[in-house]
């Protein structure tokens, strides 16, 4: 019984770690107007920098924190 509780705690900590990383990605890349410097993107999607889409995907971190 104790083993199951420990596993859930580990899984919760992993989810929190992923959420923190996603939140960081969101704040770094979802707001291109905050960048002072122009850069060459590694990949583009629909004529937009790919980092922009990855940054917006990072918003899912808020939902992960709710659960």
């Amino acid at each position: 019984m104790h083993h199951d509780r420990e596993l859930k705690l580990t899984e919760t900590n992993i989810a929190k770690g992923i959420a923190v990383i996603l939140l960081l990605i969101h704040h770094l890349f979802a707001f291109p107007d905050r960048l002072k410097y122009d850069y060459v993107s590694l990949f583009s999607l629909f004529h937009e920098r790919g980092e922009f889409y990855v940054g917006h995907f990072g918003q899912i971190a808020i939902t992960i924190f709710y659960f």
Side-chain angles (χ1 to χ4, degrees), residues 2-3 12 20 23-25 27 30-31 34 45 57 63 66:
H2 178 68
H3 182 67
T12 302
V20 168
L23 197 59
L24 182 64
I25 289 170
H27 283 279
F31 307 103
R34 293 182 185 175
L45 188 64
F57 176 75
T63 307
Y66 280 139

Side-chain angles (χ1 to χ4, degrees):
M1 193 84 157
H2 178 68
H3 182 67
D4 290 338
R5 182 172 176 253
E6 184 176 323
L7 184 62
K8 290 180 182 178
L9 182 61
T10 303
E11 291 172 349
T12 302
N13 287 336
I14 291 170
K16 287 179 186 177
I18 291 171
V20 168
I21 292 168
L22 286 171
L23 197 59
L24 182 64
I25 289 170
H26 171 67
H27 283 279
L28 288 175
F29 295 115
F31 307 103
D33 55 324
R34 293 182 185 175
L35 294 175
K36 294 180 182 179
Y37 306 101
D38 196 25
Y39 67 94
V40 177
S41 178
L42 295 175
F43 62 98
S44 63
L45 188 64
F46 303 117
H47 304 289
E48 186 70 44
R49 292 180 174 161
E51 293 89 351
F52 179 73
Y53 293 107
V54 173
H56 277 288
F57 176 75
Q59 284 181 330
I60 198 169
I62 297 167
T63 307
I64 292 173
F65 278 123
Y66 280 139
F67 288 108

